[in-house]
Amino acid sequence: MTATTETSSAASSPRNPRDGAEADAAVVSAGQVVDPVDPELAETARSLHDPVVDWFAAHARDLPWRRREAGAWGVMVSEFMLQQTPVNRVLPVYEQWLERWPRPADLAAEPPGEAVRAWGRLGYPRRALRLHGAAKAIAERHGGEVPEEHAQLLALPGVGEYTAAAVVSFAYGKRHAVLDTNVRRVFARAVGGQQYPPNATTAAERRIARALLPEDETTASRWAAATMELGALVCTARSPQCARCPIAEQCAWQLAGAPEHEGPARRTQSYAGTDRQVRGRLLAVLRASKDPVPQSDLDQVWHEPVQRARALDGLVSDGLVEPLDGGRYRLPLT
């Protein structure tokens, strides 16, 4: 339902990391984590909710996964695709995907290789296999309907804490902290007074996210979408547009004089010349052919044989490519 225009998540943590045990929880009741109330943080939360939600009402992008007709399946597909991938690249693939597979059962009925083929050049193609696996589980365990309970979503293949929270919040309007890279950056600045959040999500960040969550389910769902959109459009990583921010006057980072980041260097990822690039070129050849591809065709995509063989072996190990007799390869059928 919401999305990032930045690829900064690739420089820190994946968009849907599965959380570890909540050892920081003060109380666990009915599956929900409850923290002691920090009066100062509670007051901060109350002061942020209205301006951020009102800003979202006026400035939210009209994205297809936010429309009512998208349903829970449309939201889930968007969340898989938007991991580490900007909106402009996702939009055409998303629309083609939902036209071809409007329900989980439609995707589940196809071989997993067709999901990889349709994924195109979105990158990180294992996401396509995971989405296919989730669709099969939904068809088999939930009558073809995306479950609305957080625990049931977490039990699906390829669904982590972030994706489960995003689906129940954006598709079903339930109260869950949705903590992606954009939201983490907004909270780091507005509440923590830091330019950037840590490279990996911390227990302290999760506590803050839960403390800032509005009590009302409808407002909480809007807040989750609004903070993500604020981070994507205004509170960006490289060029924050603080003059446009609805909470600039309350932002701890601005009030501190917008200090430069002093923590560990923010990680960046290269692409040119990496195994990822070689894998992408190999997959492009396989996606373009409905028939098995001989080794000689794959040998043409990269000049360095050792790296090319390593990349192909990795694709086979990841289940993205199926080797056949006679030195031929295809996208997986099972």
Side-chain angles (χ1 to χ4, degrees):
M1 180 169 180
T2 58
T4 176
T5 58
E6 303 208 21
T7 56
S8 57
S9 55
S12 53
S13 57
R15 208 179 157 198
N16 68 334
R18 185 180 293 275
D19 284 350
E22 294 285 2
D24 58 300
V27 180
V28 179
S29 175
Q32 295 294 314
V33 178
V34 181
D35 298 302
V37 177
D38 180 331
E40 184 175 347
L41 194 53
E43 181 61 31
T44 298
R46 286 190 291 270
S47 70
L48 297 178
H49 291 160
D50 285 347
V52 171
V53 171
D54 290 347
W55 172 88
F56 182 67
H59 298 283
R61 289 168 292 178
D62 179 20
L63 299 172
W65 44 86
R66 287 180 175 157
R67 298 169 192 160
R68 184 178 298 274
E69 60 267 25
W73 174 236
V75 171
M76 175 174 279
V77 170
S78 76
E79 291 300 336
F80 271 80
M81 290 185 173
L82 288 161
Q83 295 163 21
Q84 300 176 302
T85 308
V87 167
N88 61 347
R89 289 183 58 202
V90 166
L91 280 170
V93 180
Y94 172 87
E95 290 169 352
Q96 292 163 13
W97 190 284
L98 267 296
E99 182 176 353
R100 181 174 178 180
W101 298 309
R103 300 170 303 165
D106 299 320
L107 176 59
E110 296 263 19
E114 286 305 299
V116 177
R117 193 188 312 278
W119 198 258
R121 301 190 67 84
L122 280 183
Y124 303 98
R126 278 178 289 182
R127 292 179 292 167
L129 290 182
R130 291 167 183 159
L131 183 52
H132 183 272
K136 286 192 69 174
I138 291 168
E140 293 168 359
R141 304 175 198 167
H142 301 286
E145 299 295 329
V146 176
E148 60 180 284
E149 296 301 325
H150 187 264
Q152 292 177 322
L153 284 160
L154 270 179
L156 297 175
V159 174
E161 172 61 35
Y162 166 79
T163 302
V167 172
V168 297
S169 179
F170 303 148
Y172 294 115
K174 295 194 174 184
R175 183 179 182 271
H176 273 274
V178 182
L179 199 58
D180 83 335
T181 300
N182 286 316
V183 177
R184 293 176 61 223
R185 188 170 54 253
V186 169
F187 291 171
R189 291 174 179 169
V191 179
Q194 305 295 319
Q195 186 178 17
Y196 300 119
N199 281 333
T201 307
T202 66
E205 287 182 282
R206 296 188 184 101
R207 283 197 298 270
I208 289 172
R210 291 193 295 267
L212 293 177
L213 199 60
E215 291 296 329
D216 173 69
E217 280 202 333
T218 300
T219 307
S221 176
R222 295 291 286 175
W223 166 257
T227 50
M228 194 177 294
E229 189 80 332
L230 186 65
L233 300 184
V234 175
C235 193
T236 59
R238 296 180 182 87
S239 303
Q241 301 176 48
C242 299
R244 294 178 49 210
C245 180
I247 55 174
E249 294 183 357
Q250 302 151 262
C251 175
W253 183 56
Q254 281 293 305
L255 293 172
E260 292 290 328
H261 179 64
E262 295 182 352
R266 301 177 73 231
R267 296 191 297 266
T268 59
Q269 287 185 338
S270 60
Y271 181 74
T274 64
D275 285 5
R276 277 188 59 218
Q277 184 179 23
V278 184
R279 285 163 61 101
R281 291 190 178 184
L282 292 168
L283 277 178
V285 174
L286 292 160
R287 283 198 307 269
S289 176
K290 289 287 187 179
D291 298 318
V293 174
Q295 177 78 56
S296 57
D297 287 3
L298 297 177
D299 288 345
Q300 303 303 311
V301 308
W302 197 254
H303 63 282
E304 210 291 304
V306 174
Q307 187 180 25
R308 186 179 64 237
R310 183 172 65 241
L312 182 57
D313 287 346
L315 290 171
V316 172
S317 297
D318 290 342
L320 290 162
V321 172
E322 188 175 320
L324 304 174
D325 293 337
R328 298 173 302 149
Y329 296 86
R330 69 184 179 193
L331 298 178
L333 292 182
T334 57

